Structures are given as C-alpha cells and as structure tokens.
Amino acid sequence: MTPILLFLFGLTLVFVGFAAVGVLWAIKNGQFDDLEGPAQRILMDDDDPLIPFNTKPKP
C-alpha cells in the first residue's frame, strides 16, 4: 500500500473514533431522553401562566 493510503485509513479511524465518542457522550448525558418535548414546546403559547418560567412569585 502507498503511504498516503495508510494515512487516509488512519485518519478515517480517528474520525470514526471521535464520532463514536460523541454519540456515546450524548447518550450518557441524556441528550436523547425526550425527543418529543422540544417539538411540542414550540407549539405552546409563551403567555401561558402554567409554564413555570413565566410565573411570577406572588407577594
């Protein structure tokens, strides 16, 4: 094999390794736990008083 082909195979293995580590990190940190929440949250009205971050403390 030519040296450039060996370099490209090595570079491919490095990129695949980074991708695998990134996916495993995302799974471990809960990035895929709630896939429907953000899609439904965009449909909610921001003026809804039931949303916790819109509620103001009562004096």
Side-chain angles (χ1 to χ4, degrees):
M1 288 192 170
T2 63
I4 190 71
L5 198 55
L6 289 175
F7 172 74
L8 289 176
F9 282 144
L11 194 60
T12 301
L13 289 175
V14 168
F15 282 132
V16 168
F18 280 138
V21 168
V23 167
L24 291 175
W25 175 83
I27 291 171
K28 181 181 174 187
N29 287 323
Q31 295 292 318
F32 300 111
D33 285 347
D34 183 17
L35 296 177
E36 294 180 11
Q40 293 174 358
R41 196 173 315 126
I42 198 167
L43 299 175
M44 291 183 188
D45 189 14
D46 288 340
D47 297 333
D48 189 1
L50 299 178
I51 298 175
F53 62 83
N54 275 349
T55 58
K56 294 181 181 174
K58 295 180 182 176

Coordinates of all heavy atoms in Angstrom, one line a residue:
M1 N 0.8 -1.2 0.0 CA 0.0 0.0 0.0 C 0.9 1.2 0.0 O 2.0 1.3 0.6 CB -0.9 0.0 1.2 CG -2.0 -0.9 1.2 SD -3.1 -0.5 2.6 CE -4.5 -1.5 2.2
T2 N 0.3 2.3 -0.5 CA 1.1 3.5 -0.6 C 1.0 4.2 0.8 O 0.0 4.0 1.5 CB 0.6 4.4 -1.7 OG1 -0.8 4.7 -1.4 CG2 0.7 3.7 -3.0
P3 N 1.9 5.1 1.1 CA 1.9 5.8 2.4 C 0.6 6.7 2.5 O 0.1 6.8 3.6 CB 3.2 6.6 2.4 CG 4.1 5.9 1.4 CD 3.2 5.3 0.4
I4 N 0.2 7.3 1.4 CA -0.9 8.2 1.5 C -2.2 7.4 1.8 O -3.1 7.9 2.6 CB -1.1 9.0 0.2 CG1 -2.2 10.1 0.4 CG2 -1.5 8.2 -0.9 CD1 -1.7 11.2 1.3
L5 N -2.3 6.2 1.3 CA -3.5 5.3 1.6 C -3.5 4.9 3.1 O -4.6 5.0 3.7 CB -3.5 4.1 0.7 CG -4.8 3.4 0.5 CD1 -5.9 4.3 0.1 CD2 -4.6 2.2 -0.4
L6 N -2.4 4.6 3.6 CA -2.3 4.3 5.0 C -2.6 5.5 5.9 O -3.3 5.4 6.9 CB -0.9 3.8 5.4 CG -0.5 2.4 4.9 CD1 0.9 2.1 5.2 CD2 -1.4 1.4 5.4
F7 N -2.2 6.7 5.5 CA -2.5 7.9 6.2 C -4.0 8.1 6.2 O -4.6 8.5 7.2 CB -1.8 9.1 5.6 CG -2.2 10.4 6.1 CD1 -1.8 10.8 7.4 CD2 -3.0 11.3 5.4 CE1 -2.2 12.0 7.9 CE2 -3.5 12.5 5.9 CZ -3.0 12.9 7.2
L8 N -4.7 7.9 5.0 CA -6.1 8.2 4.9 C -6.9 7.1 5.7 O -7.9 7.5 6.4 CB -6.5 8.1 3.5 CG -6.1 9.3 2.6 CD1 -6.5 9.1 1.2 CD2 -6.6 10.6 3.1
F9 N -6.5 5.9 5.8 CA -7.1 4.9 6.6 C -7.0 5.3 8.1 O -8.0 5.2 8.9 CB -6.5 3.5 6.4 CG -7.1 2.8 5.2 CD1 -6.2 2.0 4.4 CD2 -8.4 3.0 4.7 CE1 -6.6 1.4 3.3 CE2 -8.8 2.4 3.6 CZ -8.0 1.6 2.9
G10 N -5.8 5.7 8.5 CA -5.6 6.2 9.9 C -6.5 7.4 10.2 O -7.1 7.4 11.3
L11 N -6.5 8.3 9.3 CA -7.4 9.5 9.5 C -8.9 9.1 9.6 O -9.6 9.7 10.5 CB -7.1 10.5 8.4 CG -7.6 11.9 8.6 CD1 -7.0 12.6 9.8 CD2 -7.4 12.7 7.3
T12 N -9.3 8.2 8.8 CA -10.7 7.7 8.9 C -11.0 7.1 10.2 O -12.0 7.3 10.8 CB -10.9 6.7 7.8 OG1 -10.7 7.3 6.5 CG2 -12.3 6.2 7.8
L13 N -10.0 6.3 10.7 CA -10.2 5.6 12.0 C -10.3 6.7 13.2 O -11.1 6.6 14.1 CB -9.1 4.6 12.3 CG -9.1 3.4 11.5 CD1 -7.9 2.5 11.8 CD2 -10.4 2.6 11.8
V14 N -9.5 7.7 13.0 CA -9.6 8.8 14.1 C -11.0 9.5 14.0 O -11.6 9.7 15.1 CB -8.4 9.8 13.8 CG1 -8.6 11.1 14.7 CG2 -7.1 9.2 14.1
F15 N -11.4 9.8 12.8 CA -12.8 10.5 12.7 C -13.9 9.6 13.2 O -14.8 10.1 13.9 CB -13.0 11.0 11.3 CG -12.3 12.2 10.9 CD1 -11.6 12.3 9.7 CD2 -12.3 13.3 11.8 CE1 -10.9 13.5 9.4 CE2 -11.6 14.5 11.4 CZ -10.9 14.6 10.3
V16 N -13.8 8.3 12.9 CA -14.9 7.4 13.3 C -14.8 7.3 14.9 O -15.8 7.2 15.5 CB -14.7 6.0 12.7 CG1 -15.5 4.9 13.3 CG2 -15.1 6.1 11.2
G17 N -13.6 7.3 15.4 CA -13.5 7.2 16.9 C -14.1 8.5 17.5 O -14.8 8.4 18.5
F18 N -13.8 9.7 17.0 CA -14.4 10.9 17.5 C -15.9 10.8 17.4 O -16.6 11.3 18.3 CB -13.9 12.1 16.8 CG -12.5 12.6 17.3 CD1 -11.6 13.0 16.3 CD2 -12.2 12.6 18.6 CE1 -10.3 13.4 16.7 CE2 -11.0 13.1 19.0 CZ -10.0 13.5 18.1
A19 N -16.5 10.3 16.3 CA -17.9 10.2 16.2 C -18.5 9.3 17.2 O -19.5 9.6 17.8 CB -18.3 9.8 14.7
A20 N -17.8 8.2 17.4 CA -18.3 7.2 18.4 C -18.3 7.7 19.8 O -19.3 7.6 20.5 CB -17.5 5.9 18.3
V21 N -17.2 8.4 20.1 CA -17.1 9.0 21.5 C -18.2 10.1 21.6 O -18.9 10.2 22.7 CB -15.7 9.6 21.7 CG1 -15.7 10.5 22.9 CG2 -14.7 8.5 21.8
G22 N -18.5 10.9 20.6 CA -19.5 11.9 20.7 C -20.9 11.4 20.8 O -21.7 11.9 21.6
V23 N -21.2 10.3 20.1 CA -22.5 9.7 20.3 C -22.7 9.0 21.7 O -23.7 9.2 22.3 CB -22.8 8.6 19.2 CG1 -24.0 7.8 19.4 CG2 -22.9 9.3 17.8
L24 N -21.7 8.4 22.1 CA -21.7 7.7 23.4 C -21.8 8.8 24.5 O -22.6 8.6 25.5 CB -20.5 6.8 23.7 CG -20.5 5.6 22.8 CD1 -19.2 4.8 23.1 CD2 -21.7 4.7 23.1
W25 N -21.1 9.9 24.4 CA -21.3 11.0 25.3 C -22.7 11.6 25.4 O -23.2 11.8 26.4 CB -20.3 12.1 25.0 CG -20.4 13.3 25.9 CD1 -19.9 13.5 27.1 CD2 -21.1 14.5 25.6 NE1 -20.2 14.7 27.6 CE2 -21.0 15.4 26.7 CE3 -21.9 14.9 24.5 CZ2 -21.6 16.6 26.7 CZ3 -22.5 16.1 24.5 CH2 -22.4 17.0 25.6
A26 N -23.3 11.8 24.2 CA -24.6 12.3 24.1 C -25.6 11.3 24.7 O -26.6 11.8 25.4 CB -25.0 12.6 22.7
I27 N -25.5 10.1 24.5 CA -26.4 9.1 25.1 C -26.2 9.1 26.7 O -27.2 9.1 27.4 CB -26.1 7.7 24.6 CG1 -26.6 7.6 23.1 CG2 -26.8 6.6 25.4 CD1 -26.2 6.4 22.4
K28 N -25.0 9.1 27.1 CA -24.7 9.1 28.6 C -25.3 10.3 29.3 O -25.7 10.3 30.4 CB -23.2 9.0 28.8 CG -22.8 9.0 30.3 CD -21.3 8.9 30.4 CE -21.0 9.0 31.9 NZ -19.6 9.1 32.1
N29 N -25.2 11.5 28.6 CA -25.7 12.7 29.2 C -27.2 13.0 29.0 O -27.6 14.1 29.3 CB -24.9 13.9 28.7 CG -23.5 13.9 29.3 OD1 -23.3 13.5 30.5 ND2 -22.5 14.2 28.6
G30 N -27.9 12.1 28.4 CA -29.4 12.2 28.3 C -29.9 13.1 27.2 O -31.0 13.6 27.3
Q31 N -29.1 13.3 26.1 CA -29.5 14.1 25.0 C -30.7 13.5 24.3 O -31.4 14.2 23.6 CB -28.3 14.3 24.1 CG -27.2 15.1 24.6 CD -27.6 16.5 24.9 OE1 -28.2 17.2 24.1 NE2 -27.2 17.0 26.0
F32 N -30.9 12.2 24.4 CA -31.9 11.5 23.6 C -33.0 11.0 24.5 O -33.8 10.2 24.1 CB -31.3 10.3 22.8 CG -30.3 10.7 21.9 CD1 -28.9 10.4 22.1 CD2 -30.6 11.4 20.7 CE1 -27.9 10.7 21.2 CE2 -29.6 11.8 19.8 CZ -28.3 11.4 20.1
D33 N -33.1 11.5 25.7 CA -34.2 11.1 26.6 C -35.6 11.6 26.2 O -36.5 10.8 26.3 CB -33.9 11.6 28.1 CG -32.8 10.8 28.7 OD1 -32.4 9.7 28.1 OD2 -32.3 11.2 29.7
D34 N -35.7 12.8 25.8 CA -37.0 13.4 25.5 C -37.0 13.9 24.1 O -36.5 15.0 23.8 CB -37.4 14.5 26.5 CG -38.7 15.1 26.2 OD1 -39.5 14.4 25.5 OD2 -39.0 16.2 26.7
L35 N -37.4 13.1 23.1 CA -37.4 13.5 21.7 C -38.6 14.3 21.3 O -38.6 15.0 20.3 CB -37.2 12.3 20.8 CG -35.9 11.5 21.0 CD1 -35.8 10.3 20.2 CD2 -34.7 12.4 20.7
E36 N -39.7 14.2 22.0 CA -41.0 14.8 21.6 C -41.2 16.1 22.4 O -41.9 17.0 21.9 CB -42.1 13.9 21.9 CG -42.1 12.7 21.0 CD -43.3 11.8 21.3 OE1 -44.2 12.2 22.0 OE2 -43.3 10.6 20.8
G37 N -40.5 16.4 23.5 CA -40.8 17.6 24.3 C -40.5 18.8 23.6 O -41.3 19.8 23.5
P38 N -39.3 19.0 22.9 CA -39.0 20.2 22.2 C -39.9 20.5 21.1 O -40.2 21.6 20.8 CB -37.5 20.0 21.8 CG -37.0 19.1 22.7 CD -38.1 18.1 23.1
A39 N -40.4 19.4 20.4 CA -41.3 19.6 19.3 C -42.6 20.1 19.7 O -43.3 20.9 19.0 CB -41.4 18.3 18.5
Q40 N -43.1 19.7 20.9 CA -44.3 20.1 21.4 C -44.2 21.5 22.1 O -45.1 22.3 22.1 CB -44.9 19.1 22.4 CG -45.3 17.8 21.7 CD -45.7 16.8 22.7 OE1 -45.7 16.9 23.9 NE2 -46.1 15.6 22.2
R41 N -43.0 21.8 22.7 CA -42.8 23.0 23.4 C -42.9 24.2 22.5 O -43.4 25.3 22.9 CB -41.5 23.0 24.1 CG -41.3 24.0 25.1 CD -40.0 23.9 25.9 NE -39.8 22.6 26.3 CZ -38.6 21.9 26.1 NH1 -37.7 22.5 25.5 NH2 -38.5 20.7 26.5
I42 N -42.6 24.1 21.2 CA -42.6 25.2 20.3 C -44.0 25.6 20.0 O -44.3 26.7 19.6 CB -41.8 24.8 19.0 CG1 -41.5 26.1 18.2 CG2 -42.6 23.9 18.1 CD1 -40.5 25.9 17.1
L43 N -45.0 24.7 20.2 CA -46.4 25.0 19.9 C -47.1 25.7 21.1 O -48.2 26.2 21.0 CB -47.1 23.7 19.6 CG -46.6 22.9 18.3 CD1 -47.4 21.6 18.2 CD2 -46.8 23.8 17.1
M44 N -46.4 25.7 22.3 CA -47.0 26.3 23.5 C -47.0 27.8 23.3 O -46.0 28.4 22.8 CB -46.3 25.8 24.7 CG -46.5 24.4 25.1 SD -45.6 24.1 26.6 CE -45.8 22.3 26.7
D45 N -48.0 28.4 23.9 CA -48.0 29.9 23.9 C -47.1 30.4 25.1 O -47.2 29.9 26.2 CB -49.5 30.3 24.2 CG -49.6 31.8 24.0 OD1 -48.7 32.5 23.5 OD2 -50.7 32.3 24.4
D46 N -46.3 31.4 24.8 CA -45.4 32.0 25.8 C -46.1 32.7 26.9 O -45.6 32.9 27.9 CB -44.4 32.9 25.1 CG -43.4 32.1 24.3 OD1 -43.2 30.9 24.5 OD2 -42.8 32.8 23.4
D47 N -47.4 33.1 26.7 CA -48.1 33.9 27.7 C -48.9 33.0 28.6 O -49.6 33.4 29.5 CB -49.1 34.8 27.0 CG -48.3 35.9 26.2 OD1 -47.2 36.2 26.5 OD2 -48.9 36.4 25.2
D48 N -48.7 31.7 28.4 CA -49.5 30.7 29.2 C -48.9 30.8 30.7 O -47.8 30.5 30.9 CB -49.3 29.3 28.7 CG -50.2 28.3 29.3 OD1 -51.0 28.7 30.2 OD2 -50.1 27.1 29.0
P49 N -49.8 31.1 31.7 CA -49.3 31.2 33.0 C -48.9 29.8 33.6 O -48.4 29.8 34.7 CB -50.5 31.8 33.8 CG -51.7 31.4 32.9 CD -51.2 31.4 31.5
L50 N -49.3 28.7 33.0 CA -48.9 27.4 33.5 C -47.5 27.0 33.3 O -47.0 26.1 33.9 CB -49.8 26.3 32.9 CG -51.3 26.5 33.2 CD1 -52.1 25.4 32.6 CD2 -51.6 26.5 34.7
I51 N -46.8 27.7 32.4 CA -45.4 27.5 32.1 C -44.6 28.0 33.3 O -44.7 29.2 33.6 CB -44.9 28.1 30.8 CG1 -45.7 27.5 29.6 CG2 -43.5 27.9 30.6 CD1 -45.5 28.2 28.3
P52 N -43.8 27.2 33.9 CA -43.1 27.6 35.2 C -42.2 28.8 35.1 O -42.2 29.6 36.0 CB -42.3 26.4 35.6 CG -42.9 25.2 34.8 CD -43.5 25.8 33.6
F53 N -41.5 29.0 34.0 CA -40.6 30.2 33.9 C -41.3 31.5 33.6 O -40.8 32.5 33.7 CB -39.5 29.9 32.9 CG -40.0 29.8 31.4 CD1 -40.3 30.9 30.7 CD2 -40.2 28.5 30.9 CE1 -40.7 30.7 29.4 CE2 -40.6 28.4 29.6 CZ -40.9 29.5 28.8
N54 N -42.7 31.4 33.3 CA -43.4 32.7 33.1 C -44.1 33.1 34.4 O -44.7 34.2 34.4 CB -44.4 32.5 32.0 CG -43.8 32.7 30.6 OD1 -42.8 33.3 30.5 ND2 -44.6 32.4 29.6
T55 N -44.2 32.3 35.4 CA -44.9 32.6 36.6 C -44.1 33.6 37.4 O -42.9 33.4 37.6 CB -45.3 31.4 37.4 OG1 -44.1 30.7 37.7 CG2 -46.2 30.5 36.6
K56 N -44.7 34.5 38.0 CA -44.0 35.5 38.9 C -44.4 35.1 40.3 O -45.6 34.7 40.6 CB -44.5 36.9 38.6 CG -44.0 37.4 37.2 CD -44.4 38.8 36.9 CE -44.0 39.2 35.5 NZ -44.4 40.5 35.1
P57 N -43.5 35.3 41.2 CA -43.8 35.0 42.6 C -44.9 35.9 43.2 O -44.9 37.1 42.9 CB -42.5 35.1 43.4 CG -41.6 35.8 42.5 CD -42.1 35.7 41.1
K58 N -45.8 35.3 43.9 CA -46.9 36.2 44.5 C -46.4 36.8 45.7 O -45.8 36.2 46.6 CB -48.1 35.3 44.7 CG -48.7 34.7 43.5 CD -49.9 33.8 43.8 CE -50.4 33.2 42.5 NZ -51.5 32.3 42.7
P59 N -46.7 38.1 45.9 CA -46.2 38.8 47.1 C -47.0 38.5 48.3 O -47.9 37.9 48.4 CB -46.4 40.3 46.7 CG -47.3 40.4 45.6 CD -47.3 39.0 45.0

